């Protein structure tokens, strides 16, 4: 009865694939409320449910499109690589959630005698379809369309009963092992379409651009009797099957996604398409579009919504793509399957370079040494060719698609090579991508994931050991894993892309955290009781599950800004890194800022700066401060003076800063002598030698602090082995103990010396704080010296203070407004910023170190009356301030478990380890690694009344 389930993922009864096009032929959507029944296995599913008179009154309602586990039927499950069922291809477990769906519909009586089809845009993983009790066939390929001819079964003018049985597991599941939630269902639209006799079933639009002449050509492959018109070009009555010279056109690119409506008509049907004129070519190992080398500043995009799973409303998609544009994302890899077909229209319209990726991944075979991998097994060849043809036929008319990708992490083998050949035969205009072909035997670009900076540099320089690979463009289909706090190191990647022409950029892994919304938190793997899961590895995006930007996205926007600005006291260097655009749309402004905020500002005029060139703008007559004024920074910002597609006017397109005035060092008065444990208005306690009072302010600290709540990149360092965290914990960095050595009062201050070391070992640190009190303020010189035998790197070096919880308002002069870490700091500019303790926290789904503000010169924390504490750097420090400790954060696992304490814990950091992206990829680069040794942090504390 269910032999189709093991038929090597071959659909049956489906029509040949064709383009997704909008037409004037009638279309009826079946999206809406359907009847639904879920059975734990096929044997337990109702017999005869497809009969027109079947009584489904005992069933429940379910929206379609939907993933049924998102609606209380069964549960989502997350695994990355491992299959959640035994590897026993093509068989699947008997326990196989089976969702029966029914819906009724009517089409007008005048459809009678005409051909009609039903289209499923996505059914996960396999569905059997009946119309009016007649079986139409079986769908396979979850993220690909399937059409059936319904002419014989349809009853125009009467009620029709559609019944679809969907199985969560099928032989197709072996080909769909992408790193994401397993979510069965009819999760994309279902439509019934009239296909008029003499209509247009398929078209292949070729719109090329000759950059040497600025002219376009148009070829529409389609029915011979169809005529083509392009109203905006004044073209009508063009024949299909012929290449037409269309004269001067505006070429298509993400920087100017110029689209031309193309109408193709027969007597029976008119189809509208949109042409974007562009020509993709690999020239001397460089990927070019319209004659120019492109650079990919991309993201990997999955389809996910925190409430509805892989069903994402189109307005949400549009908003997210606009968010990408506003953060200078110029490319999307549709990891790891073709998206909802409407998303391609948005890519064309808003402007993105797209790698369209086929719905194929067999990664779980890696666990069995790739034995029986479908990619090299002839029994699966049909399924592979079926999938590539369905993707290419569906999406071939989209100018945004510049590369076809065979799939992801499916090992290698003959079936993949066959897909590549099929692709090249059908569409020679787009190169073929597949990362898993390491030797580049059947692909056109050399694609890698997570190659580190050093290796990427070697490849960029042409020092790759494989000669053949050296002749191909190099693209990182995944890099800079954005899990949790991070990624760090994006700037250094961009520098490689800018330096080496063959290194043509890459796609951040990934755009979105796939959290599932629960009461007050987002679920990740394991939260639904899955016996096998990969925890929060699915929470690795530049935006949070609700698509609000995480600091990683803000950093991306700064690193991949199209206008690079270098600020000097006497000039500004402006570099235009667009591929095609000049800077005619850019306004340049300057501002001078100090501790008090912006003190002066103005505009600069920008000479013409063609794409890829630079200009130098002399700075004259800026009102630079002199004398005792506070430290002053000059900031120059490029913004969009007028709106572009997806880019609102006023958007920041680049910024740069430099310090232009440094005040003379402060000369302090003679310090006051210590009086026992008192020093001026400061009071120390005798047990540990900690400061407990400053004026009226009660506080506790500073204690040396070298721990941070591990970031995902700390936890999973070394490509997931977690060896860094293990060594930190083995060494006891998270459970340091203090032993007071001596408190030594003197005529000019007080010195507190302690031994700071973990239990169970005999290595540690000496901590010394030298306190002086002058000018109503308490000055500290804190020194932390590691024992010579200490070899481990550290997460942070700093001190921790506990302050009353009433201090909720925060202001600082330093980098902001957002968090910054040494290798993710481009977005944070020096300025005067304000916030609250609550707002300083970044809500990473998996709680971890966050909210650090860098290069801070002074910080104040105040209560509602304005009383509190001021901290001055000597010269600067980093800080975090929160109502919980790092240990609380580390323990929590989810945000609802972070306690709120009635204290503010302030860390004053000399430094923190950078972020890197070691949860999948490389750790921080050497300059951002923190070695123990001999470190000194100077700061001044002043009680505010
Ligand atoms: C890659 C894979 C992605 C994702 C990523 C880690 O190997 O292609 O799907 O799993 O690693 O998050």
């Amino acid at each position: 009865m269910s032999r189709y389930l093991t038929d090597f993922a071959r659909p049956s009864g489906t029509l040949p694939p064709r383009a997704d096009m909008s037409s004037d032929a009638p279309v009826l959507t079946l999206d809406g409320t359907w009847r639904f029944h879920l059975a734990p296995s096929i044997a337990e599913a109702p017999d005869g449910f497809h009969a027109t008179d079947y009584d489904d009154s005992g069933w429940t309602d379910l929206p379609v499109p939907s993933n049924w586990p998102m609606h209380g039927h069964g549960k989502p499950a997350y695994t990355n690589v491992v299959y959640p069922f035994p590897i026993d291809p093509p068989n699947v477990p008997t326990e196989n959630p089976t969702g029966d769906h029914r819906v009724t519909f009517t089409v007008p009586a005048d459809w009678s005698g005409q051909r009609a089809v039903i289209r499923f845009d996505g059914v996960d993983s396999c569905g059997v379809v009946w119309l009016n009790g007649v079986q139409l066939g079986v769908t396979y390929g979850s993220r690909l369309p399937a059409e059936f001819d319904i002419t014989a079964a349809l009853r125009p003018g009467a009620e029709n009963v559609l019944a679809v049985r969907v199985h969560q597991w099928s032989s197709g599941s072996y080909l769909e092992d992408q790193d994401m939630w397993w979510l069965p269902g009819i999760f994309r639209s279902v439509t019934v379409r009239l296909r008029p006799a003499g209509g247009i079933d398929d078209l292949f639009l070729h719109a090329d651009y000759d950059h040497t002449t600025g002219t376009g050509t148009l070829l529409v492959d389609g029915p011979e009797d169809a005529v083509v018109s392009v109203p905006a070009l004044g073209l009508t009555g063009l024949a299909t099957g012929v290449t037409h010279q269309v004269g001067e056109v505006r070429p298509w690119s993400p920087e100017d996604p110029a689209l031309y409506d193309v109408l193709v008509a027969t007597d029976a049907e008119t189809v509208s398409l949109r042409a974007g004129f562009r020509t993709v070519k690999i020239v001397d190992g460089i990927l070019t579009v319209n004659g120019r080398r492109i650079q990919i500043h991309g993201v990997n995009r999955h389809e996910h919504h925190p409430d509805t799973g892989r069903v994402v409303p189109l307005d949400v998609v549009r908003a997210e793509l606009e968010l990408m544009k506003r953060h200078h994302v110029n490319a999307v890899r549709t990891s790891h399957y073709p998206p909802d077909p409407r998303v391609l229209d948005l890519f064309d319209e808003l402007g993105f370079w797209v790698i369209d990726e086929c719905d194929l991944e067999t990664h779980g075979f890696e666990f069995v040494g790739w034995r029986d991998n479908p990619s090299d097994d002839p029994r699966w060849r049909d399924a592979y060719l079926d999938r590539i043809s369905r993707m290419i036929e569906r999406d071939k008319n989209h100018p945004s698609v510049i590369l076809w990708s065979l799939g992801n992490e499916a090992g290698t083998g003959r079936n993949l090579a066959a897909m590549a050949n099929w692709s090249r035969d059908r569409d020679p205009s787009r190169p073929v991508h597949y990362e898993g072909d390491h030797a580049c035997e059947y692909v056109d670009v050399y694609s890698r994931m997570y190659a580190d900076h050093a290796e990427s540099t070697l490849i960029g320089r042409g020092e790759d050991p494989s000669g053949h690979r050296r002749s191909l463009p190099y693209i990182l289909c995944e890099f800079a894993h954005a899990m949790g706090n991070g990624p760090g190191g994006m700037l250094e990647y961009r520098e490689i892309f800018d330096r080496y022409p063959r290194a043509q950029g890459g796609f951040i892994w990934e755009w979105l955290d796939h959290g599932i919304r629960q009461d007050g938190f987002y679920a990740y793997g394991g939260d639904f009781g899955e016996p096998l899961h990969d925890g929060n590895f699915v929470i690795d995006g530049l935006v949070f599950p609700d698509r609000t930007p995480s600091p990683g996205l803000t950093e991306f926007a700064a690193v991949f800004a199209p206008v690079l600005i270098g600020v000097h006291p006497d000039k500004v260097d402006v570099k235009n890194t667009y591929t095609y655009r000049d800077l005619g749309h850019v306004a340049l402004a300057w501002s001078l800022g100090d501790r008090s905020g912006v003190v002066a500002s103005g505009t600069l005029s920008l000479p013409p700066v063609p794409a890829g060139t630079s200009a130098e703008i002399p700075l004259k007559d800026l009102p630079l401060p002199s004398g005792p004024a506070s430290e002053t920074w000059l900031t120059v910002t490029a913004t969009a003076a007028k709106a572009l597609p997806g880019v609102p006017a006023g958007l920041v397109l680049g910024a740069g800063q430099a310090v232009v005035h440094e005040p003379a060092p402060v000369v302090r008065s003679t310090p006051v002598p210590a009086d026992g444990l008192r020093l001026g208005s400061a009071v120390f306690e005798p047990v540990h030698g900690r400061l407990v009072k400053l004026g009226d302010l009660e506080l506790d600290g500073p204690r040396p602090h070298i721990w941070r709540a591990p970031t995902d990149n700390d936890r999973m360092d070394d490509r997931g082995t977690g060896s860094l965290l293990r060594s930190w914990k083995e060494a006891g960095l998270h459970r340091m103990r203090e032993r007071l050595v001596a408190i030594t009062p003197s005529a000019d201050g007080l010195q507190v010396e302690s031994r700071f070391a973990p239990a169970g070992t005999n290595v540690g640190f000496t901590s010394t704080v030298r306190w002086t009190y002058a000018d109503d303020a308490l000055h500290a010189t804190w020194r932390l010296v590691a024992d010579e035998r200490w070899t481990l790197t550290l997460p942070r070096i700093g001190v921790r203070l506990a302050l009353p919880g009433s201090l909720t308002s925060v202001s600082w002069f330093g980098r902001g407004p957002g968090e910054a870490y040494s290798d993710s700091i481009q977005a944070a500019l020096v300025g005067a910023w304000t916030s609250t303790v609550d707002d300083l926290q970044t809500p990473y789904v998996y709680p971890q170190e966050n909210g650090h503000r860098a290069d801070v010169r002074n910080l104040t924390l105040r209560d509602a009356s304005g009383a509190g504490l001021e901290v001055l750097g000597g010269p600067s420090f980093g800080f975090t301030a929160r109502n919980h400790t790092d240990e609380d954060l580390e323990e929590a696992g989810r945000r609802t478990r972070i306690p709120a304490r009635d204290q503010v814990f302030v860390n004053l950091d000399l430094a923190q380890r950078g972020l890197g992206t070691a949860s999948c990829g490389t750790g921080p680069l050497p300059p951002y690694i923190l070695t123990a040794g001999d470190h000194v942090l100077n700061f001044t504390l002043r009680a505010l009344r």
Side-chain angles (χ1 to χ4, degrees), residues 371-575:
R371 205 176 144 201
D372 294 334
N373 180 19
S375 297
D376 201 36
D377 180 335
R379 292 174 303 170
W380 295 90
R381 181 185 156 97
D382 289 353
Y384 277 58
L385 291 175
D386 168 65
R387 284 172 189 237
I388 191 79
S389 65
R390 282 159 68 195
M391 173 178 75
I392 293 181
E393 297 299 354
R394 191 193 78 165
D395 294 343
K396 59 187 182 261
N397 294 325
H398 289 282
S400 53
V401 177
I402 58 165
L403 295 170
W404 297 120
S405 175
L406 307 180
N408 184 57
E409 296 183 319
T412 189
R414 286 165 285 173
N415 298 338
L416 287 157
M419 285 170 102
N421 288 337
W422 193 95
S423 171
R424 269 189 285 264
D425 278 354
R426 177 65 176 137
D427 180 16
S429 78
R430 292 172 174 106
V432 173
H433 166 274
Y434 172 60
E435 180 273 343
D437 178 15
H438 297 211
C440 295
E441 285 170 352
Y442 47 85
V443 293
D444 302 314
V445 296
Y446 178 31
S447 173
R448 290 288 302 275
M449 9 176 114
Y450 309 108
D452 62 16
H453 302 84
E455 192 186 2
S456 296
T457 303
L458 285 183
I459 298 169
R461 279 198 201 134
E463 291 169 17
D464 186 291
S466 150
H468 170 54
R469 283 198 310 233
R470 265 184 260 145
S471 67
L472 304 179
Y474 170 59
I475 290 173
L476 282 154
C477 68
E478 296 178 26
F479 79 113
H481 197 244
M483 186 176 187
N485 190 345
M490 281 190 283
L491 176 69
E492 291 79 1
Y493 274 111
R494 175 164 193 180
E495 286 168 356
I496 294 167
F497 307 152
D498 283 348
R499 192 166 312 133
Y500 304 108
R502 269 193 63 217
Q504 294 198 255
F507 300 83
I508 303 286
W509 186 267
E510 67 175 306
W511 169 246
L512 173 75
D513 285 348
H514 309 209
I516 294 183
R517 203 189 318 261
Q518 305 289 294
D519 197 11
F521 69 97
Y522 289 108
Y524 46 79
D527 282 337
F528 298 103
E530 307 102 289
L532 203 58
H533 65 83
D534 288 291
N536 67 323
F537 206 59
V538 76
I539 307 289
D540 52 1
L542 291 175
V543 297
F544 295 113
D546 62 359
R547 291 175 162 77
T548 54
S550 93
L553 182 61
T554 316
E555 177 72 2
F556 181 100
V559 166
F560 294 103
V563 184
L564 300 182
I565 296 181
V567 180
H568 310 272
D570 57 341
K571 61 164 188 159
V572 182
D573 295 326
V574 176
K575 184 163 184 214

Side-chain angles (χ1 to χ4, degrees), residues 314 317-318 321 342-352:
L314 201 60
V317 178
R318 178 180 276 279
L321 300 187
R342 297 167 302 171
V343 178
L344 275 298
D345 293 328
L346 293 174
F347 288 151
D348 294 344
E349 188 182 315
L350 292 168
F352 292 93

